[in-house]
C-alpha cells in the first residue's frame, strides 16, 4: 500500500518545527488563505496550545516597507486625468471630460502598473512606441479598440489614416513625460499605484534605505510565478543569506 503523501504546507510545518530560530523568522505567503491553512498545520504539530508564527502576505510586506498607500482606482484615475490636463491638455481635446477619459485611463494606468512591476525601462519603452508615427498600416486595430479611440478622441476618424497617425503620435510621444509627472504628483500626496509602490521598495532596499532588521530571517512559502519586482526582492534577501524558500 502506497503511503498517503502529506500536503505541502504540512511538510513545511514539519520542517520548520526543527528550526531553532523560528521565533525570529517572518513567514511570507502569496495570500491570506495560505496563512490560514499553514496555521492549522502548525497547530497540528503540537499536543498543546502554541503561539502562531508571525506571518504576512507578500503584498502586505511590501506595503509595510513603503511610506505610500494605494488608493482605489477611481482616485488614481482622477490624479492621472489632472496630470494630463495640466501638462498636455491638447491630448484630452477641446472639452476635457473625465467620463470620456475613464476607460482609456484604465488602460494607461494598467500599462504603468505593468511597467513598474516588471522593472521595465519606461523611457526606452516609450521612445520605441513613439515610432508609431511612422506606421502606415493600422488594420490591426479591432472594432472595440477603434470604438474606445472614437469615444476618447473627439476628432478621431476611422476613415482618415493620417488622423490616426497624428493622434497616436501625439499620445505616444508624450507618454514618458505623463508617466514621470503622474508619479511625481502621486509622491507629493504619499500615494501610489501598486506597481509604483513595489518598484519604490525595490530601489530603496537596493540603496539600503529600508530598515528591516526586526527579523533575522524571512521564509518565503508557496510562490510560483513571480513578477520582476518580486524576483528582485527575493534575490536581495537570498544574497544577504537572510532568506529560505519552500516551493
Amino acid at each position: 500500500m502506497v503511503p498517503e503523501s502529506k500536503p505541502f504546507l504540512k511538510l513545511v510545518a514539519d520542517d520548520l518545527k526543527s528550526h531553532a530560530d523560528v521565533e525570529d523568522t517572518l513567514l511570507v505567503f502569496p495570500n491570506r488563505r495560505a496563512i490560514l491553512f499553514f496555521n492549522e498545520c502548525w497547530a497540528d504539530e503540537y499536543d498543546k496550545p502554541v503561539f502562531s508564527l508571525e506571518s504576512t502576505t507578500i503584498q502586505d510586506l511590501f506595503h509595510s516597507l513603503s511610506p505610500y498607500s494605494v488608493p482605489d482606482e477611481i482616485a488614481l484615475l482622477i490624479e492621472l486625468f489632472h496630470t494630463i490636463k495640466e501638462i498636455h491638455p491638447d491630448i484630452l481635446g477641446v472639452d476635457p471630460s473625465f467620463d470620456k477619459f475613464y476607460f482609456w485611463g484604465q488602460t494607461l494606468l494598467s500599462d504603468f502598473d505593468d511597467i513598474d512591476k516588471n522593472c521595465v525601462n519606461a523611457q526606452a519603452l516609450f521612445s520605441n512606441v513613439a515610432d508609431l508615427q511612422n506606421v502606415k498600416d493600422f488594420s490591426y486595430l479591432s472594432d472595440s479598440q477603434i470604438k474606445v479611440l472614437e469615444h476618447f478622441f473627439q476628432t478621431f476618424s476611422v476613415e482618415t489614416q493620417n488622423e490616426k497617425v497624428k493622434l497616436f503620435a501625439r499620445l505616444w510621444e508624450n507618454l514618458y513625460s505623463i508617466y514621470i509627472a503622474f508619479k511625481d504628483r502621486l509622491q507629493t500626496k504619499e500615494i501610489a499605484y501598486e506597481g509604483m509602490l513595489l518598484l519604490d521598495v525595490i530601489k530603496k532596499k537596493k540603496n539600503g534605505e529600508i530598515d528591516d532588521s526586526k527579523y533575522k530571517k524571512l521564509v518565503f512559502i508557496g510562490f510560483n510565478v513571480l513578477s520582476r519586482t518580486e524576483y528582485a526582492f527575493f534575490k536581495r534577501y537570498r544574497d544577504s543569506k537572510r532568506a529560505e524558500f519552500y516551493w
Side-chain angles (χ1 to χ4, degrees), residues 2-180:
V2 178
E4 184 178 352
S5 60
K6 290 185 179 181
F8 169 70
L9 292 178
K10 178 65 173 175
L11 292 172
V12 174
D14 287 348
D15 192 60
L16 286 176
K17 185 179 179 182
S18 64
H19 288 208
D21 59 351
V22 70
E23 293 183 358
D24 298 322
T25 297
L26 177 66
L27 308 186
V28 185
F29 294 86
N31 52 59
R32 290 185 176 85
R33 184 181 180 188
I35 294 177
L36 292 175
F37 281 118
F38 175 81
N39 285 340
E40 291 181 2
C41 294
W42 183 250
D44 289 342
E45 291 292 312
Y46 296 87
D47 297 327
K48 59 182 180 180
V50 61
F51 288 108
S52 297
L53 300 180
E54 188 164 358
S55 306
T56 188
T57 65
I58 186 65
Q59 182 183 52
D60 288 345
L61 177 58
F62 268 105
H63 283 232
S64 71
L65 298 173
S66 173
Y68 303 126
S69 60
V70 177
D72 59 46
E73 184 185 60
I74 290 292
L76 290 168
L77 288 173
I78 290 173
E79 296 297 339
L80 181 55
F81 175 75
H82 285 298
T83 299
I84 298 174
K85 188 176 180 181
E86 287 179 6
I87 66 173
H88 294 297
D90 56 310
I91 293 176
L92 296 172
V94 294
D95 185 22
S97 166
F98 180 75
D99 289 338
K100 293 180 180 179
F101 166 80
Y102 179 79
F103 294 104
W104 177 80
Q106 281 185 310
T107 300
L108 191 55
L109 181 62
S110 177
D111 288 344
F112 288 171
D113 190 57
D114 286 340
I115 286 168
D116 285 359
K117 282 181 177 177
N118 290 287
C119 304
V120 174
N121 184 326
Q123 185 173 17
L125 173 66
F126 292 137
S127 294
N128 291 333
V129 175
D131 289 340
L132 278 173
Q133 61 182 316
N134 298 319
V135 176
K136 296 182 178 180
D137 179 15
F138 281 80
S139 60
Y140 65 86
L141 288 173
S142 66
D143 290 341
S144 61
Q145 289 172 321
I146 289 176
K147 287 180 181 179
V148 170
L149 290 171
E150 287 178 327
H151 181 71
F152 179 70
F153 294 116
Q154 294 178 338
T155 58
F156 185 86
S157 169
V158 293
E159 290 83 16
T160 308
Q161 182 169 287
N162 287 337
E163 264 188 271
K164 295 177 188 177
V165 175
K166 290 177 182 178
L167 287 169
F168 271 104
R170 188 170 70 189
L171 170 62
W172 295 127
E173 287 175 350
N174 292 304
L175 273 179
Y176 184 64
S177 61
I178 292 171
Y179 169 82
I180 293 299

